[in-house]
């Protein structure tokens, strides 16, 4: 490597260190904060983009993930009331045949939950209805979480003998989960005699489609109790029966069961009703210093990033050289980060992971379940650092937008960026050589993230940038 190339790399590296280590008043000095003087080689500049516009919005659909459903109500004086329930099919045990002389004992619905939100000692009433509406859940269709449930159920035929009343923190039953390495509480609800008999008498287990015709599924909802919600892990229907058989000259009776699972082979829909959404949006919008991201209420923060002016400044700043964006850092300051890890009776806990994505990539990532690229979406993790000046911890998400901006430069895309902040859950897969992001989905658990807005007088949103221009023909 030539000495000039080493000098170029060192210059850019020092610029990045300057940006990363300086206080805001130094970095905000503008494009003259640092620049190389070698007109035939490289120029390096530090700049700050202040004119981002942020606002809360609730216009995009929320797509639920069935492995993390809520059941119950979430209530907050600040954020309103969210009611959560679910619709589900059950997997057909294809080819299943009951033993001869089988007789029904009972049918029970089991709901396993990992934890709960709110007051665990408050009563929570649960009822279950048949999916007896005019429309059937379709496995290949994607439904938003505010889908009208009356398309699928009339909510008139309860399948339970009586409403089940539980106290989430005091379960009557639990089972050890080897995958979670802990005891998992569950709710056991007995179906009434009519529904149990109808389910037991189904004999067409030839296919999932045929089974869905006989048994379309269930709608599970809370009927009273406004202080708690269950984080459901899994659920199943278990048909308990007995049969007799001849052993030698003696007849014997054996008890058995058949389990019907609500799993990935069938469709599930997590459904949310958010009372007074418009009033909540209006109320939160009056706080000009802050923006909000609420899950699973589908309230996000929208960002307008004026990249046209930025790209023009970069093009002129590098003086006809090939432009490179070495670092473009957007820091989102979290104002309720100190609540992290605490159990509150309101939505006080910020999200652990936040996705900053282009608005036009929203459906592709969440509806079509595609993994994001760094030119369409960026993943940030809730981070804390100690501030010696205030003697306290600061919480924030940090996003490096350099790849996104570089792609815009290379393709002459100088349009204004429309982006949104969405709380997400992530999964990683580890192989023998690497760990990589394998799944990303909307956060279904209750969280409220309060962030500094672009209108915050103390410290508005901004993007801090290091960019350079490199003359490839002369700098060798």
């Amino acid at each position: 490597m030539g000495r000039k190339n080493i000098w170029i790399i060192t210059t850019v590296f020092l610029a990045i260190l300057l940006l990363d280590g300086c206080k805001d008043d130094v970095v905000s000095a503008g494009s003259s904060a640092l620049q190389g003087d070698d007109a035939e080689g490289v120029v390096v500049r530090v700049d700050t983009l202040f004119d981002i516009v942020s606002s809360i919005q609730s216009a995009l659909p929320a797509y639920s993930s069935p492995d993390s459903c809520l059941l119950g109500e979430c209530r907050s004086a600040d954020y309103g009331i969210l009611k959560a329930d679910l619709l589900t099919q059950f997997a057909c045990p294809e080819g299943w045949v009951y033993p001869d002389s089988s007789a029904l004992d009972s049918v029970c619905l089991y709901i396993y939950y990992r934890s709960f939100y709110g007051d665990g000692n408050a009563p929570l009433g649960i009822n279950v209805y048949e999916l007896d509406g005019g429309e059937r859940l379709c496995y290949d269709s994607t439904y938003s979480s505010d889908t009208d449930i009356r398309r699928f159920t009339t909510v008139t035929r309860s399948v339970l003998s009586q409403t089940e009343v539980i106290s989430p923190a005091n379960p009557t039953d639990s089972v050890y989960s080897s995958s979670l390495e802990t005891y998992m509480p569950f709710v056991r609800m007995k179906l009434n005699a009519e529904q149990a008999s109808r389910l037991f008498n189904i004999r067409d287990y030839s296919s999932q489609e045929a089974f869905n015709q006989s048994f379309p599924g269930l709608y599970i909802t809370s009927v009273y109790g406004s202080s708690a919600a269950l984080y459901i892990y899994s659920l199943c229907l278990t048909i308990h029966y007995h049969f007799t058989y001849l052993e030698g000259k003696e007849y014997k009776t054996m008890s058995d069961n058949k389990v019907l699972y609500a799993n990935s082979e069938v469709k599930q829909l997590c459904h949310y009703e958010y009372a007074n959404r418009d009033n909540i949006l209006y109320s939160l919008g009056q706080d000009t210093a802050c923006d909000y991201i609420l899950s699973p209420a589908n309230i996000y923060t929208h960002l307008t990033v004026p990249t046209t002016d930025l790209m023009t400044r970069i093009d002129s700043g590098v003086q006809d050289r090939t432009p490179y964006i070495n670092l473009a850092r957007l820091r989102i300051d979290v104002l309720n980060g100190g609540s992290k890890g605490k159990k509150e009776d309101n939505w006080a806990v910020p999200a652990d992971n936040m996705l900053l994505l282009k608005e036009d990539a929203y459906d592709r990532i969440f509806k079509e379940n595609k993994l994001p690229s760094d030119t369409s979406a960026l993943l940030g993790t809730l981070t804390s650092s100690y501030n010696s000046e205030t003697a306290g911890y600061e919480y924030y998400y940090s996003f490096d937008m350099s790849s996104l901006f570089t792609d815009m430069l290379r393709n002459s895309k100088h349009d204004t960026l429309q982006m949104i902040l969405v709380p997400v859950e992530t999964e990683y897969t580890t192989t023998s050589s690497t760990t990589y992001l394998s799944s990303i989905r909307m956060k279904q658990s209750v969280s409220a993230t309060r962030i500094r807005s672009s209108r915050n007088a103390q410290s508005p949103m901004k993007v801090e940038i290091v960019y350079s221009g490199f003359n490839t023909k002369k700098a060798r």
Side-chain angles (χ1 to χ4, degrees):
M1 181 182 293
R3 296 176 64 185
K4 175 165 279 190
N5 284 339
I6 294 175
W7 178 84
I8 292 169
I9 294 172
T10 303
T11 302
V12 173
F13 179 68
L14 289 174
I16 294 174
L17 287 180
L18 174 65
L19 172 61
D20 197 49
C22 287
K23 299 298 180 185
D24 287 343
D25 55 347
V26 176
V27 174
S28 300
S31 60
S32 62
L34 177 66
Q35 57 183 346
D37 294 326
D38 187 348
E40 296 184 352
V42 64
V43 293
V44 181
R45 296 183 184 273
V46 174
D47 209 337
T48 303
L49 179 65
F50 277 109
D51 44 353
I52 298 173
V53 177
S54 67
S55 61
I56 59 174
Q57 75 168 49
S58 178
L60 297 171
Y63 300 107
S64 61
S65 53
D67 58 343
S68 185
C69 282
L70 274 171
L71 176 62
E73 282 193 11
C74 311
R75 185 181 294 264
S76 165
D78 294 324
Y79 307 127
I81 303 170
L82 184 90
K83 179 178 172 60
D85 43 39
L86 68 149
L87 299 85
T88 183
Q89 298 172 329
F90 292 85
C92 170
E94 292 189 14
W96 168 253
V97 177
Y98 285 101
D100 292 338
S101 70
S102 295
L104 176 67
D105 293 323
S106 64
V107 178
C108 293
L109 174 66
Y110 293 82
I111 298 178
Y112 298 86
Y113 60 98
R114 284 180 288 192
S115 58
F116 58 89
Y117 163 88
D119 185 356
N121 295 312
L124 176 64
I126 302 173
N127 213 338
V128 184
Y129 300 90
E130 186 179 356
L131 295 186
D132 57 356
E135 186 176 341
R136 297 287 187 258
L137 286 174
C138 178
Y139 184 80
D140 294 325
S141 296
T142 301
Y143 302 98
S144 63
S145 59
D146 59 354
T147 297
D148 183 5
I149 62 167
R150 297 288 178 168
R151 293 162 51 184
F152 309 101
T153 177
T154 62
V155 198
T156 55
R157 298 181 60 187
S158 174
V159 303
L160 300 183
S161 301
Q162 61 183 15
T163 298
E164 187 74 20
V165 181
I166 68 165
S167 175
N170 303 288
T172 57
D173 298 286
S174 65
V175 63
Y176 185 77
S177 169
S178 57
S179 59
L180 299 178
E181 297 183 346
T182 186
Y183 280 91
M184 182 180 299
F186 64 86
V187 184
R188 176 170 48 193
M189 293 172 283
K190 188 176 180 180
L191 271 61
N192 61 45
E194 177 189 355
Q195 294 293 335
S197 178
R198 193 168 72 83
L199 187 59
F200 177 71
N201 288 327
I202 295 175
R203 291 297 185 265
D204 189 352
Y205 290 106
S206 59
S207 67
Q208 185 66 51
E209 182 178 0
F211 182 68
N212 288 345
Q213 289 298 319
S214 300
F215 182 59
L218 298 175
Y219 168 55
I220 306 169
T221 184
S222 62
V223 290
Y224 66 81
S226 59
S227 302
L230 307 179
Y231 287 124
I232 296 177
Y233 180 75
S234 66
L235 51 92
C236 65
L237 272 170
T238 301
I239 303 171
H240 300 275
Y241 64 93
H242 65 272
F243 62 94
T244 58
Y245 65 97
L246 184 63
E247 186 176 282
K249 295 182 179 181
E250 184 179 352
Y251 281 97
K252 294 189 175 182
T253 300
M254 175 174 286
S255 296
D256 204 351
N257 62 71
K258 186 61 186 174
V259 182
L260 309 179
Y261 295 98
N263 56 24
S264 59
E265 298 175 8
V266 294
K267 195 67 180 179
Q268 297 173 66
L269 169 59
C270 302
H271 174 257
Y272 302 109
E273 291 181 1
Y274 192 18
N276 299 320
R277 180 191 298 270
D278 292 341
N279 291 337
I280 295 298
L281 280 171
Y282 176 79
S283 175
L284 296 180
Q286 302 309 299
D287 186 356
T288 58
C290 301
D291 287 318
Y292 296 82
I293 303 118
L294 309 183
S295 71
N298 189 28
I299 289 181
Y300 307 137
T301 290
H302 179 272
L303 304 181
T304 299
V305 184
T307 50
T308 301
D309 176 60
L310 173 64
M311 298 305 168
T312 301
R313 282 154 52 189
I314 291 176
D315 282 336
S316 62
V318 298
Q319 303 171 7
D320 297 323
R321 292 165 174 78
T322 302
Y324 294 89
I325 298 179
N326 309 101
L327 180 68
R329 184 180 63 185
L330 169 65
R331 171 167 158 158
I332 303 293
D333 290 311
V334 177
L335 301 180
N336 61 330
S339 299
K340 185 178 185 298
K342 293 182 181 179
K343 272 198 169 184
E344 304 284 349
D345 285 339
N346 55 23
W347 294 340
V349 181
D352 288 329
N353 300 290
M354 192 70 66
L355 193 68
L356 173 68
L357 71 156
K358 291 181 179 178
E359 193 168 27
D360 59 10
Y362 184 89
D363 278 354
R364 184 172 69 254
I365 293 174
F366 296 119
K367 184 177 181 179
E368 301 174 20
N369 297 315
K370 304 293 185 182
L371 288 176
S373 66
D374 57 5
T375 58
S376 64
L378 306 168
L379 183 63
T381 301
L382 185 62
T383 304
S384 64
S385 62
Y386 185 75
N387 187 324
S388 57
E389 293 182 359
T390 61
Y393 282 91
E394 299 175 337
Y395 294 82
Y396 59 90
Y397 307 100
S398 184
F399 303 95
D400 184 2
M401 305 177 72
S402 55
S403 293
L404 192 154
F405 285 163
T406 297
D407 178 69
M408 297 179 72
L409 273 174
R410 294 288 180 268
N411 295 286
S412 299
K413 299 176 181 177
H414 292 185
D415 297 335
T416 297
L417 274 175
Q418 304 295 336
M419 308 193 76
I420 48 178
L421 287 163
V422 179
V424 293
E425 300 284 359
T426 59
E427 287 185 4
Y428 289 85
T429 298
T430 301
T431 64
S432 58
S433 58
T434 186
T435 298
Y436 60 91
L437 179 67
S438 56
S439 173
I440 191 165
R441 59 189 182 275
M442 290 181 175
K443 185 177 178 64
Q444 300 296 309
S445 55
V446 179
S447 75
T449 307
R450 187 164 62 97
I451 62 176
R452 279 203 179 98
S453 73
S454 62
R455 308 171 303 283
N456 189 288
Q458 177 183 354
S459 180
M461 284 186 193
K462 57 185 177 292
V463 180
E464 299 166 329
I465 306 165
V466 174
Y467 62 93
S468 56
F470 182 39
N471 190 330
T472 56
K473 293 183 179 180
K474 296 183 179 181
R476 292 182 177 175

